[in-house]
Amino acid sequence: KNAKVEGWAIKLKGARNKMGNPRFITYMDNQAIWMTLVTATTNLFTVPSIVMLFKRASDKKHQTLMFPSFIGILTLISSFMYHLTESIQVDELFLDSGNWHKVDNVGAILCFQNLAIFLMDNKERMADEILQYSALMVTLLAQEKAPWELEYTLIPILLAWICYFAKVIYNRKFPTYNKRMLRRGLVMMGIAVFCFTQGLDEFADFLRIWHGLWHAFVAFSSFYLWQALSEPHDEIELGDAIVNGYRYVFEAFVLIFRGHKTDKVM
């Protein structure tokens, strides 16, 4: 009597898992399998972007990219685990679905904030680091305050982009971008936002297909936007990142730690 069919799924009223968190929706077995494929595994599309960031972060000119590289890993893991636990309806896999969702929110917000910081093209490393840690502080406070209220997701992102446009206005010009990468990234982001809006009603979004497409296209967009400041000869193609990704990450860590060992303290 506390369950009713809404859209394509079954909505539960007053149900809670053993962790005490509300369980609003349940699925049939075959739906759970497809949900996992559509919403959880689509997070793997972010792997090429993370690989590309690690490769670029190994260059001393782009060392501040190491922070968003690890934020990308955090977001990949938390989003995968959130959608996995939600799809297969388990109460807990290290964290429960609700807590994985909170960590996913933090990671996703930080990704958009750090993209704004990156696109400012700050010449001083300290400027990037101050903004990165400020973004982390604001995001953690906002999500601890109200993780399910939309304004506490949007305001931290908007603050970062306000900083971006404030710098543009102050300098009276945009930074010099790689137009090919910027154009590709913006087109992909436009498609991603459209998919996201179409999937806001989870009961109307059959198997969360629109949400899975959001994951895919925002990942493709990120791959190109994070190269919007690269020179044409430094561009990394998507296929190259997929095929040689493991080697790029290994080489990045070798270069970083070898550099640390040879640095002399004066």
Side-chain angles (χ1 to χ4, degrees):
K1 67 180 180 179
N2 291 328
K4 68 174 182 176
V5 176
E6 183 165 332
W8 63 280
I10 301 170
K11 188 174 184 180
L12 305 178
K13 182 180 179 181
R16 292 180 178 270
N17 61 20
K18 72 176 185 179
M19 306 299 294
N21 293 315
R23 176 175 281 172
F24 299 110
I25 188 168
T26 190
Y27 315 101
M28 293 181 289
D29 289 343
N30 62 328
Q31 290 177 336
I33 294 171
W34 284 108
M35 277 274 293
T36 301
L37 292 173
V38 170
T39 62
T41 59
T42 49
N43 284 285
L44 298 177
F45 284 113
T46 61
V47 171
S49 298
I50 295 170
V51 166
M52 178 271 298
L53 284 171
F54 268 110
K55 180 174 173 59
R56 293 180 64 79
S58 64
D59 187 331
K60 285 188 176 182
K61 295 184 298 182
H62 306 293
Q63 284 183 342
T64 54
L65 291 181
M66 191 56 70
F67 183 78
S69 299
F70 277 93
I71 294 300
I73 294 173
L74 174 68
T75 309
L76 167 60
I77 294 171
S78 58
S79 184
F80 180 89
M81 294 300 292
Y82 157 53
H83 288 293
L84 177 64
T85 52
E86 180 189 51
S87 298
I88 65 176
Q89 300 283 281
V90 297
D91 289 327
E92 183 180 9
L93 283 175
F94 186 69
L95 301 177
D96 68 276
S97 180
N99 285 326
W100 279 122
H101 195 175
K102 292 176 186 177
V103 179
D104 180 30
N105 282 355
V106 170
I109 293 167
L110 283 169
C111 285
F112 284 105
Q113 290 173 317
N114 277 273
L115 180 61
I117 295 166
F118 167 72
L119 292 175
M120 290 180 191
D121 194 22
N122 295 312
K123 303 306 179 185
E124 294 294 330
R125 176 176 175 175
M126 183 64 72
D128 275 353
E129 291 180 341
I130 289 172
L131 291 169
Q132 287 172 341
Y133 295 130
S134 297
L136 177 62
M137 179 176 64
V138 169
T139 300
L140 289 176
L141 290 173
Q143 287 301 290
E144 184 62 27
K145 170 66 177 176
W148 315 128
E149 293 184 21
L150 186 60
E151 58 266 33
Y152 286 95
T153 296
L154 294 179
I155 289 174
I157 296 173
L158 288 174
L159 287 174
W161 285 94
I162 287 171
C163 291
Y164 168 83
F165 283 108
K167 182 175 181 182
V168 169
I169 293 169
Y170 179 79
N171 291 334
R172 299 183 180 179
K173 64 176 183 178
F174 286 93
T176 302
Y177 293 125
N178 181 321
K179 291 183 174 57
R180 190 170 78 100
M181 289 295 174
L182 183 65
R183 184 167 54 248
R184 287 184 181 183
L186 290 177
V187 169
M188 293 291 182
M189 184 61 75
I191 298 172
V193 170
F194 173 77
C195 294
F196 181 79
T197 58
Q198 294 301 302
L200 284 174
D201 183 354
E202 63 181 306
F203 297 103
D205 183 11
F206 179 63
L207 295 178
R208 307 301 310 278
I209 290 174
W210 283 113
H211 194 75
L213 289 172
W214 150 256
H215 287 168
F217 282 104
V218 79
F220 295 145
S221 173
S222 297
F223 182 81
Y224 295 115
L225 288 177
W226 282 100
Q227 296 190 80
L229 292 171
S230 63
E231 297 292 335
H233 63 272
D234 287 332
E235 292 176 3
I236 301 172
E237 293 297 335
L238 185 60
D240 187 33
I242 294 171
V243 173
N244 297 307
Y246 70 94
R247 180 168 59 84
Y248 288 154
V249 174
F250 175 76
E251 289 176 351
F253 277 103
V254 168
L255 286 170
I256 291 165
F257 286 103
R258 186 176 63 187
H260 287 177
K261 287 180 181 179
T262 57
D263 286 343
K264 295 181 179 179
V265 180
M266 300 302 291

